[in-house]
Amino acid sequence: MSATDVIGDVSKSLTRLFDLVLTQDVANTRAKADVVVDGRTILADVPVTYLLFLEKQLVDLYAFVDKLPVLDPAETWTFNDAPGRTPPTR
């Protein structure tokens, strides 16, 4: 295979790649949706790229909340303004 053949193959491959990426990016700028919660639209005409961003943020937020410590429900707890742990009320 000659250098000219390799350059031609790379050119065809890159042209196809650039076309695909452009097609996807243009579609993403046109694709929009509403975010509806309990029948109420809270965000209208949101671009798909922002929806993907929101999805990632929600996944990260869920992971954060899921790792928070949970107090033993068998105990009665009261709020304590002092720093440190809040002991259960017995």
Side-chain angles (χ1 to χ4, degrees), residues 26-35 43-51:
V26 168
N28 283 344
T29 62
R30 294 181 182 160
K32 296 180 182 189
D34 294 346
V35 176
L43 296 170
D45 293 327
V46 180
V48 69
T49 51
Y50 190 71
L51 292 172

Side-chain angles (χ1 to χ4, degrees), residues 29-89:
T29 62
R30 294 181 182 160
K32 296 180 182 189
D34 294 346
V35 176
V36 180
V37 177
D38 292 331
R40 181 174 165 234
T41 301
I42 60 172
L43 296 170
D45 293 327
V46 180
V48 69
T49 51
Y50 190 71
L51 292 172
L52 292 170
F53 165 77
L54 286 178
E55 178 185 38
K56 183 183 181 322
Q57 295 307 306
L58 288 172
V59 167
D60 292 348
L61 184 59
Y62 176 83
F64 169 75
V65 170
D66 193 46
K67 291 179 182 178
L68 291 174
V70 178
L71 300 175
D72 184 353
E75 302 284 348
T76 302
W77 297 87
T78 57
F79 182 74
N80 181 354
D81 281 333
R85 294 185 179 182
T86 301
T89 304

